[in-house]
Amino acid sequence: MPQKPLVLFGHSLGTLIAYEVARTLAAAGGAPRDLVLSGRRAPLTGEGPLAEEALTDAALEARMRRLGGTPPELFAARDLLALVLPVVRADYRLASQHVPDPTSQLPGLPATILGGDADLDNPPGLLPGWGAWLGRAPAVQIWPGGHFFICAQGERLAALLRDVIAAEAPAP
């Protein structure tokens, strides 16, 4: 159980991990003080398990190219790409099969939801749906960019995280 106030951040699959860690801590009586969730739509908003054809090497490579965020050198180094693709495939499987327990939401947990205005996989209109899982409307911020919008805005992200961490805990 954390002894100091805890703020969790996650991007993409990390968003689901941060949410589940927060839920687990809350169930044990030690919810984090705040969440910053980035680049991921709310659970159960139109996604389901991916079809196997979406997980072939060719389909994953095409998706990685479309999303951006992967250095072009990786695609040129075919031996290295062959090592990376199984990890990416496992991440997509895990994310697509995630179904949170609807009976153990995080009532009242403050959260900031970040999204890219051009993220085709996580459209901005789906981001407020996190409110159903957090028990309150989250603060939603839409930043310029696609899925990996945070990569081009590291200073802005760092400033946001500093502000969230430095903020006083909300009154109960």
Side-chain angles (χ1 to χ4, degrees), residues 10-161:
H11 179 78
S12 196
L13 176 60
T15 291
L16 298 178
I17 294 168
Y19 173 79
E20 289 298 336
V21 167
R23 204 175 57 72
T24 300
L25 290 171
R33 189 188 49 149
D34 214 319
L35 285 174
V36 179
L37 305 177
S38 171
R40 182 80 189 167
R41 65 177 67 200
L44 307 179
T45 52
E47 283 188 318
L50 290 174
E52 283 303 309
E53 57 268 15
L55 297 171
T56 65
D57 286 357
L60 288 173
E61 181 177 345
R63 187 177 192 135
M64 290 167 66
R65 287 180 186 273
R66 181 178 58 80
L67 288 175
T70 301
E73 296 82 9
L74 178 65
F75 299 116
R78 304 308 290 179
D79 289 345
L80 182 55
L81 182 62
L83 294 173
V84 170
L85 287 174
V87 175
V88 172
R89 181 176 297 106
D91 283 358
Y92 274 113
R93 274 198 180 112
L94 179 64
S96 75
Q97 295 171 2
H98 175 255
V99 178
D101 179 357
T103 65
S104 62
Q105 297 167 358
L106 291 167
L109 183 65
T112 302
I113 311 299
L114 305 176
D117 64 357
D119 186 344
L120 301 177
D121 289 348
N122 301 286
L126 295 179
L127 300 179
W130 276 103
W133 298 97
L134 301 167
R136 69 189 289 176
V140 176
Q141 295 184 22
I142 306 302
W143 294 5
H147 183 67
F148 291 104
F149 63 94
I150 62 172
C151 294
Q153 300 186 58
E155 289 182 27
R156 183 177 180 187
L157 177 62
L160 172 79
L161 293 173

